[in-house]
Coordinates of all heavy atoms in Angstrom, one line a residue:
M21 N -7.8 -9.1 -20.3 CA -7.7 -7.9 -19.5 C -8.5 -6.8 -20.2 O -8.6 -6.7 -21.4 CB -6.2 -7.4 -19.5 CG -6.0 -6.1 -18.8 SD -4.4 -5.9 -18.3 CE -4.3 -4.1 -18.5
Q22 N -9.2 -6.0 -19.4 CA -10.0 -4.9 -19.9 C -9.1 -3.9 -20.6 O -7.9 -3.7 -20.3 CB -10.8 -4.3 -18.8 CG -10.1 -3.3 -17.9 CD -10.9 -2.7 -16.9 OE1 -11.6 -3.4 -16.2 NE2 -10.9 -1.4 -16.7
R23 N -9.7 -3.1 -21.5 CA -9.0 -2.0 -22.2 C -8.9 -0.9 -21.2 O -9.8 -0.5 -20.5 CB -9.9 -1.6 -23.3 CG -9.2 -0.5 -24.2 CD -10.0 -0.3 -25.4 NE -9.5 0.9 -26.0 CZ -10.1 1.6 -27.0 NH1 -11.3 1.2 -27.4 NH2 -9.5 2.6 -27.5
L24 N -7.6 -0.4 -21.1 CA -7.3 0.7 -20.1 C -7.1 2.0 -20.9 O -6.0 2.5 -21.0 CB -6.1 0.3 -19.3 CG -6.2 -0.9 -18.5 CD1 -4.9 -1.3 -17.9 CD2 -7.3 -0.8 -17.5
D25 N -8.2 2.5 -21.5 CA -8.1 3.7 -22.3 C -8.1 5.0 -21.5 O -7.9 6.1 -22.1 CB -9.3 3.7 -23.3 CG -10.6 3.6 -22.6 OD1 -10.7 3.4 -21.4 OD2 -11.6 3.8 -23.3
R26 N -8.2 4.9 -20.2 CA -8.1 6.1 -19.3 C -6.7 6.3 -18.8 O -6.4 7.4 -18.2 CB -9.1 6.1 -18.2 CG -10.5 6.1 -18.7 CD -11.5 5.9 -17.6 NE -12.9 6.0 -18.1 CZ -13.6 7.2 -17.9 NH1 -13.1 8.2 -17.2 NH2 -14.8 7.2 -18.4
I27 N -5.8 5.4 -18.9 CA -4.5 5.5 -18.4 C -3.6 6.0 -19.5 O -3.5 5.4 -20.6 CB -4.0 4.1 -17.9 CG1 -4.9 3.4 -17.0 CG2 -2.6 4.2 -17.3 CD1 -5.2 4.2 -15.7
T28 N -2.9 7.1 -19.3 CA -2.1 7.7 -20.3 C -0.6 7.9 -19.8 O -0.4 7.9 -18.6 CB -2.7 9.1 -20.7 OG1 -2.7 9.9 -19.5 CG2 -4.0 9.0 -21.3
F29 N 0.2 8.0 -20.8 CA 1.7 8.2 -20.5 C 2.2 9.3 -21.4 O 2.0 9.3 -22.6 CB 2.5 6.9 -20.9 CG 2.0 5.7 -20.2 CD1 0.9 4.9 -20.7 CD2 2.5 5.3 -19.0 CE1 0.4 3.8 -20.1 CE2 2.1 4.1 -18.4 CZ 1.0 3.4 -18.9
D30 N 2.7 10.3 -20.8 CA 3.2 11.5 -21.5 C 4.4 12.0 -20.8 O 4.3 12.4 -19.6 CB 2.1 12.6 -21.6 CG 2.5 13.8 -22.4 OD1 3.7 14.0 -22.6 OD2 1.6 14.6 -22.7
P31 N 5.6 12.0 -21.4 CA 6.8 12.5 -20.7 C 6.7 13.9 -20.2 O 7.3 14.3 -19.2 CB 7.9 12.4 -21.8 CG 7.3 11.6 -22.9 CD 5.8 11.6 -22.8
A32 N 5.7 14.7 -20.8 CA 5.6 16.1 -20.3 C 4.6 16.2 -19.1 O 4.4 17.3 -18.6 CB 5.0 16.9 -21.5
V33 N 4.0 15.1 -18.7 CA 3.0 15.1 -17.6 C 3.5 14.2 -16.6 O 3.6 13.0 -16.8 CB 1.6 14.8 -18.1 CG1 0.6 14.7 -16.9 CG2 1.1 15.7 -19.2
M34 N 3.9 14.7 -15.4 CA 4.3 13.9 -14.3 C 5.5 13.0 -14.6 O 5.6 11.8 -14.1 CB 3.2 13.1 -13.7 CG 2.0 13.9 -13.2 SD 2.4 15.2 -11.9 CE 2.6 14.1 -10.5
G35 N 6.3 13.4 -15.5 CA 7.5 12.7 -15.9 C 7.3 11.4 -16.6 O 8.1 10.5 -16.6
G36 N 6.1 11.2 -17.2 CA 5.8 10.0 -17.9 C 5.2 8.9 -17.1 O 4.9 7.8 -17.6
K37 N 4.9 9.2 -15.8 CA 4.2 8.2 -15.0 C 2.8 7.9 -15.5 O 2.2 8.8 -16.2 CB 4.1 8.7 -13.5 CG 5.4 8.8 -12.8 CD 5.2 9.3 -11.4 CE 6.5 9.4 -10.7 NZ 6.4 9.9 -9.3
P38 N 2.3 6.8 -15.3 CA 0.9 6.5 -15.7 C -0.1 7.4 -15.0 O 0.0 7.5 -13.8 CB 0.7 5.0 -15.3 CG 1.7 4.7 -14.4 CD 2.9 5.6 -14.6
C39 N -0.8 8.2 -15.8 CA -1.8 9.2 -15.3 C -3.2 8.9 -15.7 O -3.4 8.0 -16.6 CB -1.4 10.5 -15.8 SG 0.2 11.2 -15.0
I40 N -4.1 9.6 -15.1 CA -5.5 9.4 -15.5 C -5.9 10.5 -16.5 O -5.8 11.7 -16.3 CB -6.4 9.6 -14.3 CG1 -6.0 8.7 -13.1 CG2 -7.9 9.5 -14.6 CD1 -6.2 7.2 -13.4
R41 N -6.2 10.0 -17.7 CA -6.7 10.8 -18.8 C -5.9 12.1 -19.1 O -6.4 13.2 -19.4 CB -8.2 11.2 -18.6 CG -9.1 10.0 -18.6 CD -10.6 10.4 -18.5 NE -10.9 10.8 -17.1 CZ -11.5 12.0 -16.8 NH1 -11.8 12.9 -17.7 NH2 -11.8 12.3 -15.6
G42 N -4.6 12.0 -19.0 CA -3.6 13.1 -19.3 C -3.6 14.1 -18.2 O -2.9 15.1 -18.4
M43 N -4.3 13.9 -17.1 CA -4.2 14.9 -16.0 C -3.0 14.6 -15.1 O -2.4 13.6 -15.2 CB -5.5 14.8 -15.2 CG -6.8 15.2 -16.0 SD -8.3 15.2 -15.0 CE -8.6 13.5 -14.9
R44 N -2.8 15.5 -14.2 CA -1.7 15.4 -13.3 C -2.1 14.6 -12.1 O -1.8 14.9 -10.9 CB -1.1 16.8 -12.9 CG -0.6 17.5 -14.1 CD 0.0 18.9 -13.7 NE 1.2 18.8 -13.0 CZ 2.4 18.5 -13.4 NH1 2.6 18.3 -14.7 NH2 3.4 18.5 -12.6
V45 N -2.8 13.5 -12.3 CA -3.3 12.6 -11.3 C -2.7 11.2 -11.7 O -3.1 10.7 -12.7 CB -4.8 12.5 -11.2 CG1 -5.3 11.5 -10.2 CG2 -5.4 13.9 -10.9
T46 N -1.8 10.7 -10.9 CA -1.1 9.5 -11.2 C -1.9 8.3 -10.7 O -2.7 8.4 -9.7 CB 0.3 9.4 -10.6 OG1 0.2 9.4 -9.2 CG2 1.2 10.6 -11.1
V47 N -1.7 7.2 -11.4 CA -2.3 5.9 -10.9 C -1.8 5.6 -9.5 O -2.6 5.2 -8.7 CB -1.8 4.8 -11.9 CG1 -2.2 3.4 -11.3 CG2 -2.5 4.9 -13.3
G48 N -0.5 5.9 -9.2 CA 0.0 5.6 -7.9 C -0.7 6.4 -6.8 O -0.9 5.9 -5.7
M49 N -1.1 7.7 -7.1 CA -1.8 8.5 -6.2 C -3.2 7.9 -5.8 O -3.5 7.7 -4.7 CB -2.0 9.9 -6.7 CG -2.6 10.8 -5.7 SD -3.2 12.4 -6.4 CE -4.8 11.9 -7.0
I50 N -3.9 7.4 -6.9 CA -5.2 6.8 -6.7 C -5.1 5.5 -5.9 O -5.8 5.3 -4.9 CB -5.9 6.6 -8.0 CG1 -6.1 7.9 -8.8 CG2 -7.2 5.8 -7.8 CD1 -7.1 8.8 -8.1
V51 N -4.2 4.7 -6.3 CA -4.0 3.4 -5.6 C -3.6 3.6 -4.2 O -4.0 2.9 -3.3 CB -2.9 2.5 -6.4 CG1 -2.6 1.3 -5.6 CG2 -3.5 2.2 -7.8
G52 N -2.7 4.6 -3.9 CA -2.3 4.9 -2.6 C -3.4 5.3 -1.7 O -3.5 4.9 -0.5
M53 N -4.3 6.1 -2.3 CA -5.4 6.6 -1.5 C -6.4 5.4 -1.1 O -6.9 5.3 0.0 CB -6.2 7.7 -2.3 CG -5.4 9.0 -2.4 SD -6.3 10.3 -3.2 CE -7.4 10.8 -1.8
V54 N -6.6 4.6 -2.1 CA -7.5 3.4 -1.9 C -6.8 2.5 -0.8 O -7.5 2.1 0.1 CB -7.8 2.6 -3.2 CG1 -8.5 1.3 -2.9 CG2 -8.6 3.5 -4.1
A55 N -5.5 2.3 -0.9 CA -4.8 1.4 0.0 C -4.8 2.0 1.4 O -4.8 1.2 2.4 CB -3.4 1.2 -0.5
S56 N -4.8 3.3 1.5 CA -4.8 3.9 2.9 C -6.2 4.1 3.5 O -6.3 4.7 4.5 CB -4.0 5.2 2.9 OG -4.7 6.2 2.1
G57 N -7.2 3.5 2.8 CA -8.5 3.5 3.4 C -9.5 4.5 2.9 O -10.6 4.6 3.4
H58 N -9.1 5.3 1.9 CA -10.1 6.3 1.4 C -11.2 5.6 0.6 O -10.9 4.7 -0.2 CB -9.4 7.3 0.5 CG -8.4 8.2 1.2 ND1 -8.9 9.4 1.9 CD2 -7.1 8.2 1.4 CE1 -7.8 10.0 2.5 NE2 -6.7 9.2 2.2
E59 N -12.4 6.0 0.8 CA -13.5 5.4 0.0 C -13.6 6.1 -1.3 O -13.1 7.2 -1.5 CB -14.8 5.7 0.8 CG -15.0 5.1 2.1 CD -15.1 3.6 2.1 OE1 -15.7 3.1 1.1 OE2 -14.7 2.9 3.0
R60 N -14.1 5.4 -2.3 CA -14.2 5.9 -3.7 C -15.0 7.3 -3.7 O -14.5 8.2 -4.3 CB -14.9 4.9 -4.6 CG -14.1 3.7 -4.9 CD -14.9 2.7 -5.6 NE -14.2 1.5 -5.9 CZ -13.7 1.2 -7.1 NH1 -13.9 2.0 -8.1 NH2 -12.9 0.2 -7.3
A61 N -16.1 7.3 -2.9 CA -16.8 8.6 -2.9 C -16.0 9.7 -2.3 O -16.1 10.9 -2.8 CB -18.1 8.4 -2.0
E62 N -15.1 9.5 -1.4 CA -14.3 10.5 -0.8 C -13.3 11.0 -1.8 O -13.0 12.2 -2.0 CB -13.6 9.9 0.4 CG -12.7 10.9 1.1 CD -11.9 10.3 2.3 OE1 -12.0 9.1 2.5 OE2 -11.2 11.1 3.0
I63 N -12.7 10.0 -2.6 CA -11.7 10.4 -3.6 C -12.4 11.2 -4.7 O -11.8 12.3 -5.1 CB -11.1 9.1 -4.2 CG1 -10.3 8.4 -3.2 CG2 -10.2 9.5 -5.4 CD1 -9.8 7.0 -3.6
L64 N -13.6 10.9 -5.1 CA -14.3 11.6 -6.1 C -14.7 13.0 -5.6 O -14.7 14.0 -6.4 CB -15.5 10.8 -6.6 CG -15.2 9.5 -7.3 CD1 -16.5 8.7 -7.5 CD2 -14.5 9.8 -8.6
A65 N -15.0 13.1 -4.3 CA -15.3 14.4 -3.7 C -14.1 15.3 -3.7 O -14.1 16.5 -3.9 CB -15.9 14.3 -2.3
L66 N -12.9 14.7 -3.3 CA -11.7 15.5 -3.2 C -11.2 15.9 -4.6 O -10.5 17.0 -4.8 CB -10.6 14.7 -2.6 CG -10.7 14.4 -1.1 CD1 -9.8 13.4 -0.6 CD2 -10.6 15.7 -0.3
Y67 N -11.4 15.1 -5.6 CA -11.0 15.4 -7.0 C -12.2 15.3 -7.9 O -12.4 14.3 -8.6 CB -9.9 14.3 -7.4 CG -8.7 14.4 -6.5 CD1 -8.6 13.5 -5.4 CD2 -7.7 15.3 -6.7 CE1 -7.5 13.6 -4.6 CE2 -6.6 15.4 -5.9 CZ -6.5 14.5 -4.8 OH -5.4 14.6 -4.0
P68 N -13.0 16.3 -7.9 CA -14.3 16.3 -8.7 C -14.2 16.1 -10.2 O -15.2 15.7 -10.8 CB -15.0 17.6 -8.3 CG -13.9 18.5 -7.9 CD -12.9 17.6 -7.3
Y69 N -13.0 16.2 -10.7 CA -12.8 16.0 -12.2 C -12.5 14.5 -12.5 O -12.5 14.2 -13.6 CB -11.6 16.9 -12.7 CG -10.5 16.9 -11.7 CD1 -9.5 16.0 -11.8 CD2 -10.3 18.0 -10.8 CE1 -8.4 16.0 -10.9 CE2 -9.3 18.1 -10.0 CZ -8.3 17.1 -10.0 OH -7.3 17.1 -9.1
L70 N -12.4 13.7 -11.4 CA -12.3 12.3 -11.7 C -13.6 11.6 -11.8 O -14.6 12.2 -11.3 CB -11.5 11.6 -10.5 CG -10.0 11.9 -10.4 CD1 -9.5 11.2 -9.2 CD2 -9.3 11.6 -11.6
E71 N -13.7 10.5 -12.5 CA -14.9 9.7 -12.6 C -14.7 8.3 -12.0 O -13.5 7.9 -11.9 CB -15.2 9.6 -14.1 CG -15.5 11.0 -14.8 CD -15.6 10.9 -16.3 OE1 -15.4 9.8 -16.9 OE2 -15.9 12.0 -16.9
P72 N -15.8 7.6 -11.6 CA -15.6 6.3 -11.0 C -14.8 5.4 -11.9 O -14.0 4.6 -11.4 CB -17.1 5.8 -10.9 CG -17.9 7.1 -10.8 CD -17.2 8.1 -11.7
E73 N -14.9 5.5 -13.2 CA -14.2 4.6 -14.1 C -12.7 4.8 -14.0 O -11.9 4.0 -14.3 CB -14.7 4.8 -15.6 CG -16.1 4.3 -15.8 CD -17.1 5.4 -15.4 OE1 -16.8 6.5 -15.1 OE2 -18.3 5.0 -15.4
D74 N -12.3 6.1 -13.7 CA -10.9 6.4 -13.5 C -10.3 5.6 -12.4 O -9.2 5.0 -12.5 CB -10.7 7.9 -13.2 CG -11.1 8.8 -14.4 OD1 -11.0 8.4 -15.5 OD2 -11.6 9.9 -14.1
I75 N -11.0 5.5 -11.3 CA -10.5 4.7 -10.1 C -10.5 3.2 -10.5 O -9.5 2.5 -10.2 CB -11.4 4.9 -8.9 CG1 -11.3 6.4 -8.5 CG2 -11.0 4.0 -7.8 CD1 -12.3 6.8 -7.4
D76 N -11.5 2.7 -11.2 CA -11.5 1.3 -11.6 C -10.3 1.0 -12.5 O -9.6 0.0 -12.3 CB -12.8 1.0 -12.4 CG -14.0 1.1 -11.6 OD1 -14.0 1.1 -10.3 OD2 -15.1 1.2 -12.2
Q77 N -10.0 1.8 -13.4 CA -8.9 1.6 -14.3 C -7.6 1.7 -13.7 O -6.6 1.0 -13.9 CB -9.0 2.4 -15.6 CG -10.1 1.9 -16.5 CD -9.9 2.4 -17.9 OE1 -8.8 2.9 -18.4 NE2 -11.0 2.3 -18.7
A78 N -7.4 2.7 -12.7 CA -6.2 2.8 -12.0 C -5.9 1.5 -11.2 O -4.8 1.0 -11.2 CB -6.3 4.0 -11.0
L79 N -6.9 1.0 -10.6 CA -6.7 -0.3 -9.8 C -6.4 -1.4 -10.7 O -5.6 -2.3 -10.4 CB -7.9 -0.5 -8.9 CG -8.2 0.5 -7.8 CD1 -9.5 0.2 -7.2 CD2 -7.1 0.4 -6.8
S80 N -7.1 -1.5 -11.9 CA -6.9 -2.6 -12.8 C -5.4 -2.5 -13.4 O -4.8 -3.5 -13.5 CB -7.9 -2.5 -14.0 OG -9.2 -2.8 -13.5
Y81 N -5.0 -1.3 -13.7 CA -3.6 -1.1 -14.2 C -2.6 -1.5 -13.1 O -1.7 -2.3 -13.5 CB -3.4 0.3 -14.6 CG -2.0 0.6 -15.1 CD1 -1.6 0.2 -16.4 CD2 -1.0 1.1 -14.2 CE1 -0.3 0.4 -16.8 CE2 0.3 1.3 -14.7 CZ 0.6 0.9 -15.9 OH 1.9 1.1 -16.3
A82 N -2.8 -1.1 -11.9 CA -1.9 -1.5 -10.8 C -1.8 -3.0 -10.6 O -0.7 -3.5 -10.4 CB -2.2 -0.7 -9.6
A83 N -3.0 -3.6 -10.7 CA -3.0 -5.1 -10.5 C -2.3 -5.8 -11.6 O -1.5 -6.7 -11.4 CB -4.5 -5.5 -10.4
W84 N -2.5 -5.3 -12.8 CA -1.8 -5.9 -14.0 C -0.3 -5.7 -13.8 O 0.5 -6.7 -14.1 CB -2.3 -5.2 -15.3 CG -1.6 -5.6 -16.5 CD1 -1.6 -6.8 -17.1 CD2 -0.6 -4.9 -17.2 NE1 -0.8 -6.9 -18.2 CE2 -0.1 -5.6 -18.3 CE3 -0.1 -3.6 -17.0 CZ2 0.8 -5.2 -19.1 CZ3 0.9 -3.1 -17.9 CH2 1.3 -3.9 -19.0
R85 N 0.1 -4.5 -13.5 CA 1.6 -4.3 -13.3 C 2.2 -5.1 -12.2 O 3.3 -5.6 -12.3 CB 1.9 -2.8 -13.0 CG 1.6 -1.9 -14.2 CD 2.6 -2.1 -15.3 NE 3.9 -1.7 -14.8 CZ 5.0 -2.2 -15.3 NH1 5.0 -3.1 -16.3 NH2 6.2 -1.9 -14.8
A86 N 1.4 -5.3 -11.1 CA 1.9 -6.1 -10.0 C 2.1 -7.6 -10.4 O 3.1 -8.2 -10.0 CB 0.9 -6.1 -8.8
E87 N 1.2 -8.1 -11.3 CA 1.4 -9.4 -11.8 C 2.6 -9.6 -12.7 O 3.2 -10.7 -12.8 CB 0.1 -9.9 -12.5 CG -1.1 -10.1 -11.7 CD -2.3 -10.6 -12.4 OE1 -2.2 -10.8 -13.6 OE2 -3.3 -10.7 -11.8
E88 N 2.9 -8.5 -13.4 CA 4.0 -8.6 -14.4 C 5.4 -8.3 -13.9 O 6.4 -8.4 -14.6 CB 3.7 -7.6 -15.5 CG 2.4 -7.9 -16.3 CD 2.5 -9.2 -17.1 OE1 3.5 -9.5 -17.7 OE2 1.5 -9.9 -17.0
T89 N 5.5 -8.0 -12.6 CA 6.8 -7.6 -12.0 C 7.3 -8.7 -11.2 O 6.7 -9.3 -10.3 CB 6.6 -6.4 -11.1 OG1 6.0 -5.3 -11.9 CG2 7.9 -5.9 -10.5
D90 N 8.6 -9.1 -11.5 CA 9.3 -10.1 -10.7 C 10.1 -9.4 -9.6 O 10.8 -8.4 -9.9 CB 10.3 -10.9 -11.5 CG 9.6 -11.8 -12.5 OD1 8.5 -12.2 -12.2 OD2 10.1 -12.0 -13.6
V91 N 9.9 -9.8 -8.4 CA 10.6 -9.2 -7.2 C 11.5 -10.2 -6.6 O 11.0 -11.3 -6.2 CB 9.6 -8.6 -6.2 CG1 10.3 -8.0 -5.0 CG2 8.7 -7.6 -6.9
A92 N 12.8 -9.9 -6.4 CA 13.7 -10.8 -5.7 C 13.5 -10.6 -4.2 O 13.4 -9.5 -3.7 CB 15.1 -10.5 -6.1
I93 N 13.4 -11.7 -3.5 CA 13.2 -11.7 -2.1 C 14.4 -12.4 -1.5 O 14.8 -13.5 -1.9 CB 11.9 -12.4 -1.7 CG1 10.7 -11.7 -2.3 CG2 11.8 -12.5 -0.1 CD1 9.4 -12.4 -2.0
G94 N 14.9 -11.8 -0.4 CA 16.1 -12.4 0.3 C 17.4 -11.8 -0.3 O 17.4 -10.9 -1.0
G95 N 18.4 -12.4 0.2 CA 19.7 -11.8 -0.2 C 20.7 -12.7 -0.9 O 20.7 -13.7 -1.3

């Protein structure tokens, strides 16, 4: 797995959720935007303080977390 040095955790920022470089931009927000069809260029235009590597690492982190999570299906 690649090094995720842009993903930060701070209880004082967004309640400790995984964020991008200590900013109030969560991994979930980035992943949600990509999942809902926003292009990378559009995300970067909306949030000019983000860098392409921030989006890459947010997606990598989310993919890693998805692999590590067991989900019970059914009742």
Side-chain angles (χ1 to χ4, degrees):
M21 178 161 144
Q22 78 179 51
R23 184 173 170 196
L24 300 175
D25 56 353
R26 292 172 176 261
I27 308 300
T28 58
F29 304 87
D30 182 346
V33 178
M34 301 301 286
K37 291 181 180 179
C39 291
I40 306 297
R41 295 184 286 126
M43 297 184 283
R44 300 182 68 79
V45 178
T46 65
V47 167
M49 185 193 84
I50 298 296
V51 172
M53 291 183 78
V54 171
S56 64
H58 293 276
E59 298 289 330
R60 289 172 182 256
E62 181 182 5
I63 296 168
L64 295 171
L66 289 169
Y67 301 94
Y69 41 84
L70 292 178
E71 300 172 355
E73 295 83 8
D74 297 328
I75 297 171
D76 294 341
Q77 285 199 19
L79 293 172
S80 292
Y81 176 80
W84 173 74
R85 290 292 296 154
E87 287 181 8
E88 296 298 317
T89 304
D90 292 331
V91 178
I93 299 176

